Each structure stands twice: as structure tokens, then as C-alpha cells.
Amino acid sequence: MKPPPFDYHAPRDLGEALAALAEAGPDGKVLAGGQSLIPLLNMRLAAPARLIDINRVAGLDTLSAGPEGVRAGALARHARVERSAEAAAVQPLLRRALRLVAHPVIRNRGTVVGSLVHADPAAELPAVLALLGGSVRLAAAGGAERDVPAAEFFTGPMESAVRPGELAVSAFFPALPPGSGVSFRELARRHGDYALAGVAVLVTPAAARVACIGVGPVPIVVDVTEQAAAGDWAAAAQAVRERVEPEEDIHASADYRRHLAGVLAGQALRDAAREAETTGVRHHA
Amino acid sequence: MTRLFGEPVPRREDPRLLTGQGRYLDDLGQGALAAAFVRSPHAHAGIVDIDLSAAIDVEGLVAVYTWEDLPERVGAPLPLLIPHPALTHGRTAYPLARDVVRHVGEPVVMVVARDRYVAEDVCSLIRVDYEVRKPVVGVPEAAAGAHLVHEDVPGNVGAHLVQEVPAADGRSAAQAVEDAPHRLTFRLGIERSASMPLEGRGVYARWDADDRSLRVYSSTQTSTSVRMALAARFGLPLPSVEVIAPDVGGGFGVKIVHPWPEEVLVPWAAMLLGREVKWAEDRREHFVSSAHERAQEQTVRVGFDDEGRVLGLDVTILHDHGAYTPYGIIVPIITSTQLLGPYRIGAYRVEFSSLYTNTVQVTPYRGAGRPQGVFCMERTMDRIAAHLGLDRTTVRAANFIQPGEFPYDQGLIFQDGRPLIYDSGNYPESLRLLKELIGWDDFPARRAEAAREGRRLGIGIGCYVEGTGVGPYEGGHVQVTSDGRVHVSTGLTSQGQGHETVFAQIAATELGVPLERVSVVTGDTRRFGYAVGTFASRAAVMSGNAIALACRKVREKALRIAADALEADPGDLEVADGVVRVAGSPGASIPLATVAVLANPLRYAFDEETGRATQFAAGAGMDRPPVDEGEEPGLEGRDYYSPIRSTYASGMHAAIVETDPDTAEIRILRYAVVHDCGKLINPMIVEGQIHGGVAQGVGGALYERMVYDGHGQLLNASFMDFLMPYATEIPLIETAHLETPSPLNPLGIKGAGEAGVIPVSAVIASAIEDAEGIVIDRMPISPSELFDLRRAPAPG
């Protein structure tokens, strides 16, 4: 389990990193936390000709929380975001989702933006971004930047809108509106594994949404505002079951995953609605 | 006597192992060349051509070998380690595939290079042309026999064995079933899992061209036998070959198989190249190229009376043996015999067919066939209880062999080729302890209380008997040096069990010396050349007793010499804290260190102490030679322990599980173990063994399986998809010990290494069945499968 040969670049600033990426084009791969990439390399499932290690790039290790939301830079590790009281106060779902991401050792190294770009449909953070309607900021050589909304960012299993030569420099997670509640529930075979199915839920005074993981090619966002307004959680769970597109794998049947998504959605909607009722949501974070 | 035997002495190896000071195989030989292997991507294929042309120019490549390059003896099929008359069609692999590959992962080409990176690069450039054949995957396909794994093995049947113990009146088991007031017939299944030690296999070899000797380090459970196998294969004199098992990061059975292809090829390449060569197995290789276990399909016919006493039991087993049978049919033999557990069965017939499949070979994994046998018997006990409406423990108790019935002959032949005679045990007392520990009789109230909260609980039980300490022998060597230190060595190997601690406890107790003075070496043929290996819960029983016997020889000699020096009768002497003294006369004493000096008459002194043993010092009379007739110089002793047959440990487990009515999650709320391994040398280490065993059992019950597709591809060959449980999945394990000494060995001990794993699948199945009211006849079980079972139409 040793990787095939590759060229290694360790740029010191963003311009250098973007230039290296532009030069590499489709042969380039960004190394940040490496928690998914390194195993892929060692198993020779990925063989990029060039690795651009951004760990030394100045200005990417950022985390800011304001009234609008939380912005995490490309080198903000899971653990840092998880432990940030400011981030949790602005958007409590982040901390709750991050506690379900693998294990502490992996969270010490893995990055929030890296997880989004990796776009595993069973991962927690893509669902959080999709549920909240966040965005990812992409930069390219020459200074061009674009913000891609979550709804356009996840294009397929392990596929995102990042183009060759682009670097995801930050991600933005909108704040929790007043009078709202959130919840993340999932079921994994072992503690810290990718979930068989899971849901992130947002209930605001105006809307209720569920984002499902592990049951489709990308995080599947289901609007259950109508059912939530009526307090009909069973109907909301049914709506989720009808929308998800689970597949069978060695760990669970498609039927079971569909069932589970509904059960978890019902449970999480109740959690979130209860939280929305108690305005002191931020203290629960 | 120093009170060390029986004490929970902290493991002496832990500070070293827990602070990164362990020396595992891959820590050695940092400058060695690296080997890597091209392995078959197909489950069954003919090899048409091997094209090296793209590979040979890679910088750093040293050598590439295919089967054709191997000399006759090196390239011969690997040995069939344990022949058996019923294994009529035993087959083993070549070190490198010759013409045909029979499972994904079989080694085809060996590459030696500057480092492992280059070696793997070269592997990826070698083109092997295969002619793909239809693979045989799983028991049903193997039993159908439409396609063959080995062309010359009809029906894929490697072995077929029937054992029968008729009823007391001579009726056959089938007849006894037929005549019984109640009869049941059902099928059971267990899936594959594997030993999966955290350290894979590995070999590092050094050839000394100057004195034509070979030193091999191997992550093995038997260094002595690897040594003999290599000497024979390479035609080297045995004294010119040394094999050492360094720290080994777990074995659990897979490393008792030997010599592995890599264990032959790496030393051979080192000799040929005159360079050090090393291979450390990676995880993917371990999944597809080592060994698995467990998979069986069982058909049970049982007849019983109104009290649930089993009058006749007739079991047919189809055993998935994978592609080869290097370890013979030990696993299904153990299943067939240990299936009987703590029970007196009216009449018993067991028949197994060992079937070849195009999957990784099957060799013993901790428990070694017992988990399957216990699953069969314990599921049978639960079915009988359900059929009669009796409590599950009542049915078991009705069938127990009673304490007054030992030695109890089950009438079968065990894996050591000797009669299956239980030496001692107390099963009713074990059950009483277990019921108390888990709160069996209070459980209905607890279940009802949980039900009121909408929760679903169930309780389960499983009992087993484990033949441990199989022969033929082990030895121990004990030497007291003139500094007063005690050096203990035994030939069998260690994989983390705590041998450095328990063997030292035994020696310190027997010799009357402080524990700190005792050091222990295992698995190093330079120190002890005669041994069998560490498997079958045998190390404490075999080497423990051998070391005790060797210590007794040393003690006897020490007393003889001390008696001479103190002018006392040996019978009046005692040894404590490393000093020999006349009992009741504290002034008359001599340290063991001095006895060691006196034991070795010297011409040359090298310090003050040894000066006391030189020829002009005061000593023996002039009428005796310095070394008496029949004596040897030095204060040391060697002895062996060779048992007449195995000693039988036993245990009973119970668990309370909760199944989620909505998500079908299965959680173990409590897990209780009553365990009887005779006299305990170190209760803390025994508990640690039980904890580890239960953890592996929980893995086998709820998490682990080997998922092969129809093409014979292993779909979950990584720790991401092979769900070995973490600590977070393992419940708190509550244990109670019963000590029924073995009458067979001087220390009265029985083995404990495999105990924890044996009944877990049976126990968890029993508890889930109790919680759900659904028959559980296959393990492991996942939440998804429980969900499916809930929705399946009720049988009948």
C-alpha cells in the first residue's frame, strides 16, 4: 500500500498555489487534511501526477463567525470548527454534525472545506451546507473568484463543481434564523463510520427542511414545510421516504435505508421543532 | 513460598509495548530490500503468460521471480501440515502460482526492489495474461459440484468424516432421534470472518555468506516449526538456521499456519541475492492472501424428552474450506467434537464435508471451529426450550454432565487424535453463578418495565466446553546465573498474551525468587529449539507446566549444592527471596547467586564472586571430581511437559440486548461471563483474555463478515468496510471465575486464550430471538437484516 510516484508542490502563498494548480490542470490534486486522499493514493485508487499541498499556504487557516453566518477557510480543521463557541453560537448545526464526523484523530487533521470538495454523499458536512443553503468560494489563477451555492456545488457522488485549476478557499454556512431549531441524526454501523443513513434538519418559523445523507448520489434536500406546519411528522417522514434514492450495498438494503431515513427524519424534526419553540437555542449549542 | 502464582501481577511487557518500545517485524531490517507480490485479481484462472518487459527497467528493481524460477524444492507445493485419513483430497498451494490461480490474492510474481514503493510500482507494470474460469463461491455452489476448484477433486469434497456415538442400548443416533417423544429439524448458518491481527504477517531474512547461516525473523506463532520447514526446503543443516519471532502484534490463529509462501520466498531470495530482504504484509494483502474461518451450513435433527433431555442428535455440516487445506481439517473436527459442550447427549452422529471454494483458505481463527459448534448446540437448546415452553436454563441444566461424572468420556476423537475425555468441571455451579451475575430470574420484570417505555429487551445464554492445552509437548529451560538472575526460556511464541508475566510468576513461585530477577524469552530458536507453538489455548498449560517442572529440577539441584555448603540435610532447606536457608535457623543461609557460582567449578576467576568457585578456593573434598558424576556444571534445568490428552476448560455467557423497534439497531446492554480455566495463574490476564475474546465474538456476531460476490471478489477488503468493532461497540464485560483444577497437569491449569470468543454468536442470537420473537438461525446479523426479518412472513 504505497502510492505511485507523483510530483509534490508545497506552495507558501495563494498565488503560488493557484499557479501550480493551473499548471497541473486535470492532473493536479489538492492535499489539505488528506484524510480521504492519502488512503486513496496508498491503495492506488487515485494516481494524480501532481499533489499540491496547501498546508503551508498563508491566509487559508481562517474561521470567522458573524451575524450572517460562519465562514471556514480551506485549512480550518474539523476540530477547530467543532470547538469554536462563536461558530456554534451562530450556527449550532455545525458542531452537532462535526461530532459525528469519524473520530477525533481524523477531525484534528481533516478540513471542513476538504470534506465538501470530496463530496461523499454519505458525509455530514455536504448535507449541512445543502440544508442551510450555504456556498463554497472557488479561486483560480489570475484572481478570479466565484461563489457556488450548495444546490449547484454537489454534482454527483464524489463530484463537485470545482474545475481543474480551481481551489476551494472557503465555505460559508448561513446563521440560524431566530426562533429556529436544528438537529442531526444518523445511524452508523460503528461509532464514527459513514452513516447508513442520516438527516440534518432545519425548522424555522417559515420553513422546515431535511437534508439526507447516504441515500442518494448527493445530499437530498426535502422541503417539509407544509407537513411541519400541520405538526404531521409522520407525513414529513413519508415525504422523505418518497424523495430519497437509496442503493443497496454490503451494509444495508435500499429498503432499510429508505425506512431509516424516514425514521430519523421524524425524530430529528421533532428535536428541531422542540428547539425552535424554546428560543434559547443558542444555549443548547 | 513467594505468593505470586494466582496474583493479579501487572503485565511486565506493557510499559515497553505501550510506550512504543516494542520491536515488531517491520521495525527490524530498516536497510533491507523490500519484497512485494503480484497477486491474482481472479478467483479462478489459468495463467497464460507473464510479461515482465514493461517492468524490468524500473530504477531500483533488484529481482523478479515467477514459479518457473524456483528450484525444485523451493517451488514444491507448501506442506499439508496436519494429514488426516479423512482428508482424502488435501491440496496446498505452490509458493508462487503454477499454471492456475484459485483465489483472488494468490501470489503469482515476487518482486524484490530497493524499497516497497519501487516494488509496488514494478508490480503494477507486470502484465499477467489469464484465462478466466468459472469460480466456485460459497457452500451451495461448492456442494453442487457443477464446477470444480481442483480438477482432480470430484464434488469439491476435500474431506468427509462421520463420527457416531450410539445410544447406551446400541441404537443409532438417527434411530434415537426417530424414537424420541419430540423431534425438530432445522438449518443454521455462520458466515466468514478472520483472525485479522493488527500486525499482518511479515518476514525478514539475513543470509550470512561467511558462515553459511540463515537468520529469519517472522511474525509467526511457531518459530521452531518455521525453522525446520525452511531448513528442509533449502537443504540447510538445522543448526545453521535460526528463526525468531520478535514482538508479534496479534496472531489469533492465522500465524500458526506455516510456512507461508512469503516465509519461503523471502529467505530464499535473501540467500540467492546475498542481501537482506523483508516483506511486511499490508492490510489488503492480509484480507485476500492469508486465511479466513467460520463459514458453515449445518443441518440439525434432534430428538428429546418432555424435560428437554437430548436423546438423539444428528448433525450434518458443510464446511467452506476455501481454496486449500494446509492446516488439514482441524477446524471442522473441532466443530464436530466440541459441539457437545457441557452436555450428556443420548446418541450423537456428526458428519461433515469439507468443501473447496475459490476463496481465501480456511485455517483456525481464535475459537477454531468451536463458535460454530457451540452455535449449533446452543441454538438447539433454545429450540427445545421454545418447543416445550421451558426456561432455556432449565433445559440446559437437564442435560448437564454432573460434577460426579468426571472424567467423562464423550466417545469421540478430539483434534489431538486422542479420546474426548473431559477431565474436570462443575457446570451446574457455573450456571448458578451466571444466573446470579446477569440477574436471569429478575429479567422478566426488567423486560416488562422496559416494554412500558416502548423499549424491547431480550436475554440470551450460551455454554461451552473448550479442549485446551493440546500436545504433543512444550519445554522450558531455567538458568540461575552467578548474579542471581533467573533466565527462563521456552520455545513457543508470544503475541501479546502476557507470557513474560505469567511464566515469570510461575518461575518466581517455584524457585522462591523475587519476580524482578526473572526474565523470560519466548519464540527464539537460539534459546530453545524444541517447541510446537502458540495456539489452541495451550501456552500456559504446556509451557507453564514445563517451566514449573524445569524450575523444580533447578530447585532440587540448588538444595543439593546448598546442603553441601551449609552442611545440612537438603530436606531441611527452604528457598525464599532468592536465599536458601535452613528452616528454623535463620543464620545458616546461602544466596542462590552463590549456589550458582558453586554449581559451576572454575579454573579462572573474573570477579570476586567467581573466585569462590576456582580450584584453590575451599570446596568439595579431594575424593570427588569437581563436577559429580551425573551432574552438569551450572545451576540450570530443562524439562518438558507432554500431556496424555487435552484439558477441558468451560464457561457460560449471558447477555441482555436491546433492539430498537424503529431503527432495528441492536445494542448489548449487559454481558456476563462465568469462566472456569482451573487454577488461575494471573486473574487479571485471564480477564484480559476474556475481554479480548468477547470483543472478537461481538465482531463475529454483529459486525464482521467477508462479503464475496459471485466472481469471488472480496468486496470489503479494508477496515472501512470490514467492520471490526471499536471499543465503542464493546459492552462492559462482567466476569466471575470458578476454579476447578485440572487433574492432568502439575499446576492444575487449563487454557483461557480462546474462551471469550466461543459462545458469543450463540448468546447474542439467543438474546435477539428473545427480544424479537423471531427465530435467529444465521449469524452475524446487521440492523438491515433484522429489519428484513421483521418484515418477512412468519414461517409455516
Side-chain angles (χ1 to χ4, degrees), chain A residues 8-284:
Chain A
Y8 174 80
H9 301 266
R12 297 277 169 175
D13 62 52
L14 186 58
E16 203 187 326
L18 293 173
L21 272 169
E23 196 193 321
D27 293 335
K29 195 82 189 161
V30 174
L31 173 64
Q35 298 303 294
S36 298
L37 180 59
I38 297 296
L40 288 172
L41 290 176
N42 283 347
M43 291 201 234
R44 299 191 176 219
L45 295 172
R50 294 187 187 195
L51 220 54
I52 292 97
D53 179 349
I54 62 167
N55 281 284
R56 290 167 191 80
V57 173
L60 295 181
D61 188 9
T62 56
L63 178 66
S64 61
E68 299 299 312
V70 176
R71 183 169 288 278
L75 288 176
R77 315 284 167 182
H78 294 314
R80 179 175 173 202
V81 180
E82 177 191 346
R83 287 176 200 148
S84 163
E86 293 77 16
V90 171
Q91 181 44 269
L93 186 59
L94 272 174
R95 175 178 285 178
R96 291 181 204 169
L98 282 164
R99 283 182 176 162
L100 298 170
V101 174
H103 306 276
V105 175
I106 290 174
R107 299 204 290 273
N108 284 341
R109 193 76 202 153
T111 62
V112 166
V113 171
S115 175
L116 296 172
V117 172
H118 189 58
D120 192 313
E124 289 81 2
L125 291 173
V128 171
L129 195 81
L131 178 80
L132 301 175
S135 60
V136 179
R137 181 163 295 166
L138 305 176
E145 275 193 351
R146 60 184 184 121
D147 282 336
V148 182
E152 295 162 26
F153 187 75
F154 303 107
T155 56
M158 325 298 274
E159 284 175 16
S160 75
V162 182
R163 296 173 190 141
E166 281 185 321
L167 176 68
V169 288
S170 67
F172 178 71
F173 298 89
L176 185 69
S180 304
V182 286
S183 175
F184 206 114
R185 286 209 178 216
E186 65 175 39
L187 196 143
R189 287 293 276 118
R190 295 174 301 187
H191 178 80
D193 280 356
Y194 278 118
L196 298 176
V199 294
V201 159
L202 171 68
V203 175
T204 71
R209 284 200 299 273
V210 181
C212 307
I213 64 172
V215 286
V218 294
I220 293 180
V221 181
V222 186
D223 191 313
V224 292
T225 306
E226 213 172 290
Q227 296 90 332
D232 190 346
W233 306 123
Q238 187 54 34
V240 166
R241 282 193 193 97
E242 285 167 10
R243 272 290 311 282
V244 298
E245 310 159 26
E247 288 184 7
E248 180 173 29
D249 70 9
I250 63 173
H251 301 300
S253 66
D255 277 357
Y256 175 65
R257 283 202 159 88
R258 184 184 300 280
H259 166 83
L260 202 54
V263 169
L264 296 171
Q267 292 171 348
L269 281 163
R270 281 191 194 84
D271 295 343
R274 211 176 300 126
E275 190 175 77
E277 279 172 27
T278 65
T279 48
V281 51
R282 272 144 218 216
H283 301 290
H284 288 291

Side-chain angles (χ1 to χ4, degrees), chain B residues 37 100 176 222 280 526 791-792:
Chain B
F37 293 84
V100 182
T222 174
R526 296 172 299 181
R791 301 201 306 176

Side-chain angles (χ1 to χ4, degrees), chain B residues 589-612:
Chain B
S589 69
I590 179 170
L592 265 184
T594 309
V595 176
V597 170
L598 299 178
N600 184 21
L602 297 173
R603 183 171 178 85
Y604 311 115
F606 49 87
D607 59 18
E608 202 175 318
E609 193 65 27
T610 49
R612 300 173 60 180

Side-chain angles (χ1 to χ4, degrees), chain B residues 188-191 193 293-296 298 331 334-336 338-339 364-379 462-466 693 696-698 700-701 754-763 765 779:
Chain B
L188 300 168
I190 292 264
E191 290 191 37
S193 186
E293 213 230 272
R294 301 285 196 252
Q296 286 183 358
Q298 304 164 337
V331 172
I334 294 179
T335 301
S336 309
Q338 299 260 266
L339 189 149
Y365 155 38
R366 197 180 198 174
R370 294 177 189 86
Q372 302 93 309
V374 169
F375 185 71
C376 180
M377 181 55 103
E378 295 301 300
R379 295 279 66 212
C463 309
Y464 69 91
V465 167
E466 184 200 357
Q696 282 186 310
V698 169
E754 296 167 279
V757 78
I758 294 171
V760 183
S761 279
V763 173
M779 290 294 266

Side-chain angles (χ1 to χ4, degrees), chain B residues 647-659:
Chain B
T647 173
Y648 290 83
S650 64
M652 302 182 187
H653 297 194
I656 296 174
V657 305
E658 175 167 5
T659 55

Side-chain angles (χ1 to χ4, degrees), chain A residues 1 44 189-191 256 259, chain B residues 120-121 662-663 702 724:
Chain A
M1 282 205 208
R44 299 191 176 219
R189 287 293 276 118
R190 295 174 301 187
H191 178 80
Y256 175 65
H259 166 83
Chain B
E120 289 191 22
D121 291 345
D662 297 319
T663 64
L702 297 176
M724 182 188 281

